[in-house]
């Protein structure tokens, strides 16, 4: 369901069928939602999609040049979090793998979705109301625009209603969780 919304949203943010685009995510390669989303994005769009940041319970991962797909899919298949990403597979000089081992690294992990710029943000894991009435401004760039053009909310209640409304006023296209992850909820209920 989340990928179907990605396909709908991309043209709305100006990404044509054959153009590349960037993605940032919360939720790790070892999670059901994020792991499956990574597999589907690679299967459907291949190198066209550049994942530039992922944060999960184990840490934060960032590469402005796009994370190595072979390494990402290895983590998915082995059920490992981002802290297990091979640092040697980072392409850009500013890229990094940061395991969440202390307060500073936890803070970096918890704010990565705000600070990295991407075309699309896919919260596929995280705590309820991660972006809320008190901190939604952190998702904005210095020019007042959101750090992503669109968000497909795969994680349940990642945004508070007021945070969503304020980010939409700032220009974010946000697909709400109740629409974005309906397929996953139905499958989980059936299982």
């Amino acid at each position: 369901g989340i990928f179907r919304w990605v396909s709908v949203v991309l043209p709305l943010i100006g990404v044509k069928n054959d153009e590349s685009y960037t993605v940032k995510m919360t939720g790790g390669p070892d999670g059901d939602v994020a792991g499956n989303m990574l597999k589907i994005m690679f299967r459907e769009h291949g190198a066209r999609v550049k994942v530039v940041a992922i944060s999960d319970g184990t840490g934060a991962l960032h590469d402005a040049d796009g994370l190595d797909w072979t390494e990402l899919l290895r983590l998915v298949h082995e059920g490992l979090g981002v802290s297990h990403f091979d640092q040697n597979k980072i392409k850009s000089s500013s890229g990094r793998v940061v395991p969440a081992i202390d307060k500073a690294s936890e803070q970096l992990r918890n704010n990565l979705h705000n600070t990295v710029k991407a075309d699309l943000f896919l919260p596929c894991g995280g705590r309820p109301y991660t972006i809320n009435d008190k901190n939604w401004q952190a998702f904005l760039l210095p020019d007042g625009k959101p750090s992503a053009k669109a968000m497909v909310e795969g994680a349940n209640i990642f945004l508070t209603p007021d945070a969503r409304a304020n980010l939409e006023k700032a220009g974010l296209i946000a697909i709400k969780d109740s629409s974005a992850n309906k397929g996953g909820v139905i499958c989980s209920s059936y299982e």
Side-chain angles (χ1 to χ4, degrees), residues 5-19:
W5 279 108
V6 167
S7 299
V8 169
V9 166
L10 287 175
L12 299 176
I13 62 172
V15 177
K16 295 183 175 88
N17 286 341
D18 57 346
E19 292 179 331

Side-chain angles (χ1 to χ4, degrees), residues 46 66 68-69 79 126 129 150 169:
D68 181 87
W69 270 112
Y129 302 135
K169 284 179 194 169

Side-chain angles (χ1 to χ4, degrees), residues 13-155:
I13 62 172
V15 177
K16 295 183 175 88
N17 286 341
D18 57 346
E19 292 179 331
S20 64
Y21 62 97
T22 56
V23 172
K24 60 182 174 177
M25 299 174 71
T26 57
D30 60 337
D32 285 339
V33 179
N36 284 314
M37 189 63 203
L38 287 166
K39 289 191 293 189
I40 293 167
M41 282 191 303
F42 183 73
R43 181 188 73 211
E44 299 296 323
H45 289 173
R48 177 179 172 215
V49 58
K50 290 179 11 177
V51 179
V52 294
I54 304 177
S55 61
D56 68 9
T58 70
L61 177 57
H62 175 255
D63 190 342
D65 292 340
L67 295 164
D68 181 87
W69 270 112
T70 303
E71 183 65 1
L72 277 177
L73 294 173
R74 179 188 73 82
L75 297 180
V76 171
H77 294 299
E78 293 181 14
L80 298 171
V82 297
S83 66
H84 296 278
F85 192 94
D86 182 352
Q87 179 73 39
N88 295 319
K89 304 276 181 159
I90 298 289
K91 302 169 204 164
S92 69
S93 60
S94 62
R96 58 192 171 195
V97 179
V98 181
I101 55 172
D102 57 26
K103 292 290 184 195
S105 57
E106 288 174 3
Q107 185 174 10
L108 176 83
R109 173 202 63 199
N110 294 346
N111 291 310
L112 188 68
H113 66 276
N114 291 324
T115 58
V116 172
K117 186 176 177 181
D119 295 316
L120 189 58
F121 175 40
L122 304 175
C124 294
R127 299 189 188 282
Y129 302 135
T130 296
I131 299 178
N132 57 56
D133 306 355
K134 295 178 182 169
N135 69 5
W136 65 268
Q137 297 92 339
F139 196 77
L140 302 177
L141 299 170
D143 65 3
K145 293 180 183 174
S147 60
K149 297 173 188 173
M151 174 190 304
V152 179
E153 192 178 2

